Structure formats: structure tokens, C-alpha cells
Amino acid sequence: MIFDRKQLRKYFVMGSQNCVRAPGMLLEEAARSGITAFQFREKGPGSVFGGDKIRLGKRFRDICKRYNIPFIINDDIELIDFLEADGIHLGQQDAKADEIRAKYPDLIIGLSVSNMEEAKSPQIEYADYLGAGPVFWTATKVDAKQATGVEWIEQLRVLYPDKPIVGIGGIKPENAQSVLEAGADGVAIISAITRSKNVQETIDQL
Ligand SMILES: Cc1ncc(COP(=O)(O)OP(=O)(O)O)c(N)n1
Ligand SMILES: Cc1ncsc1CCOP(=O)(O)O
Ligand SMILES: [Mg+2]
């Protein structure tokens, strides 16, 4: 799939551990409601492994294909081929973007950047987009770094005027606008969607 920065605009990140109801039905509803990308992040307490993870991933991938939404895998490079993923999101502790790029020239590659040292890494050149944050406080990622504030998005935008950037961490309808105004191309969201009582309304508000 050809990457377009517009696909970052409403980027839903989720694993079964984040869901209070059937994950497939939630993704289907989010896709119908207008998310522009999806990241399969099956990770942490309550997540599934092995064959169950692959089965769940295939289900999610099929939904994304039907809605023509990029299906991006978090961390797990072994699943790229298995799940025919459109992309991979890598953190600083994950596989190296240059190695993945050499193996998969057309794969969408996302890279997390949380501070100035990471932002100056030569790996950035191999990434299609940067995941910046956590912008605000979040309870969703247990090992999340300290919140950066929207100032971090502003700094990254100055450093990389043309690089697609998505903000992540504690983003909800009430603060999404401030992330976009700081220079992000989009917002990546877990709990504001998984815990929403009205998914369509939440995604519209974003
Ligand atoms: C879009 C996006 N941005 C940042 C992250 C965080 O990635 P990482 O730092 O590797 O942490 P984990 O998500 O793997 O726990 C992300 N997943 N997506
Ligand atoms: C995966 C991830 N990376 C940085 S913060 C975060 C969690 C985002 O979850 P939420 O949208 O619920 O704050
Ligand atoms: Mg990671």
C-alpha cells in the first residue's frame, strides 16, 4: 500500500487487552466510522500469544483490507509476512528501521521518538512517519515515558518540516486539536476509542 500522510489523521491502535467488548466488532465499527489507519498492538497484561495472536491479527487484517485502511503491526516483525501487513511500528527497543527497510522496500515503517536524542537518530531517515509522545499522561502503556506536552510536536516539526508525524498518548476529542495545531499530521488513539460509549461520535469529534 502506498503511504500517504493523510492516513495518520485518525490512527487507531488496539489489541484485545484494550477492549471491553469483542475486538473484531469494535474494529469493524471504528473502520466504518472513519479511522484512517490501524495498528495491531497485542501487548501487555491480558493479551494473547502464538496461534491466538495470529488468528486475531488475520481477522483485523481482513477488516482493514475491506475498508482500505493500512494494517500496521506493532513490534512483531515476524508477523509482517504471516499477516501480509502494510506496515510495522518500531520503538527504540525494537528492530532497526534500516534493516527492515532493506528487507521490505515498500513497507510502511513508523518509528517512536520521545526525546531529542531519539529525534537525532540516523534511523529516522528510514521511517515513513514518526510516532511522537506520549504527548499527554496515559494509563494505557505501563512503561510509557513522561508526557512530553504538545511542545514536543512543535520541536519535531521544526527539526523535520516534511516528515509525517503522529502524536500518541492521552489523546482524546478534547485535546486532539492542540496536537494538530502543534504540527502533527494526525492523532494515534487507544483508550478514547476502546472506551468510547459512541465510537462514531468519538471518531467524528477527533
Ligand atoms: C503511532 C505510535 N507511536 C508510538 C508508539 C509506541 O511504540 P513503542 O515506543 O515501541 O512502545 P510500544 O507501543 O511497543 O509499547 C506506538 N505503538 N505507535
Ligand atoms: C502505545 C503508546 N505509546 C505511547 S503512549 C501509548 C499509549 C496510548 O494509549 P492512549 O491513547 O489510551 O493514551
Ligand atoms: Mg514497540
Side-chain angles (χ1 to χ4, degrees):
M1 182 182 279
I2 295 166
F3 176 67
D4 181 334
R5 64 203 305 145
K6 289 199 193 87
Q7 290 162 331
L8 297 176
R9 181 60 185 79
K10 298 180 186 187
Y11 183 177
F12 183 33
V13 179
M14 182 266 273
S16 63
Q17 74 283 350
N18 303 121
C19 296
V20 284
R21 61 187 173 104
M25 285 174 73
L26 174 62
L27 178 57
E28 176 90 35
E29 188 176 355
R32 206 185 319 122
S33 302
I35 57 163
T36 56
F38 175 68
Q39 182 187 131
F40 179 37
R41 183 176 178 277
E42 190 68 25
K43 187 168 188 173
S47 57
V48 299
F49 300 92
D52 287 343
K53 182 172 178 182
I54 291 172
R55 271 185 290 280
L56 184 64
K58 282 192 173 153
R59 179 127 191 258
F60 287 169
R61 180 208 56 200
D62 290 348
I63 295 170
C64 291
K65 273 218 168 104
R66 257 196 287 122
Y67 286 88
N68 203 24
I69 292 165
F71 174 73
I72 297 170
I73 290 170
N74 179 64
D75 293 354
D76 202 342
I77 55 171
E78 276 156 28
L79 290 188
I80 296 170
D81 292 324
F82 255 125
L83 297 183
E84 296 168 45
D86 298 303
I88 183 96
H89 186 90
L90 303 170
Q92 297 288 324
Q93 315 301 326
D94 302 320
K96 292 281 161 279
D98 57 348
E99 289 168 18
I100 301 296
R101 175 61 71 218
K103 194 163 171 208
Y104 299 99
D106 299 328
L107 196 71
I108 299 169
I109 300 180
L111 181 65
S112 306
V113 281
S114 303
N115 55 51
M116 244 338 148
E117 194 191 334
E118 294 171 4
K120 290 188 173 154
S121 160
Q123 292 295 320
I124 292 207
E125 156 185 4
Y126 302 95
D128 293 294
Y129 74 86
L130 305 179
V135 181
F136 304 109
W137 180 85
T138 178
T140 308
K141 179 169 156 67
V142 275
D143 58 347
K145 295 178 180 151
Q146 219 190 327
T148 61
V150 294
E151 296 74 18
W152 177 232
I153 307 274
E154 289 169 354
Q155 282 175 281
L156 268 183
R157 185 45 81 215
V158 171
L159 216 52
Y160 296 103
D162 300 321
K163 198 89 182 169
I165 297 173
V166 65
I168 188 166
I171 301 176
K172 30 186 177 270
E174 300 78 66
N175 58 23
Q177 185 68 32
S178 67
V179 179
L180 298 174
E181 280 170 2
D185 294 284
V187 286
I189 311 269
I190 301 180
S191 55
I193 294 177
T194 59
R195 289 165 183 271
S196 172
K197 295 211 162 47
N198 186 334
V199 169
Q200 176 77 68
E201 193 177 271
T202 300
I203 291 169
D204 285 347
Q205 288 168 352
L206 288 169

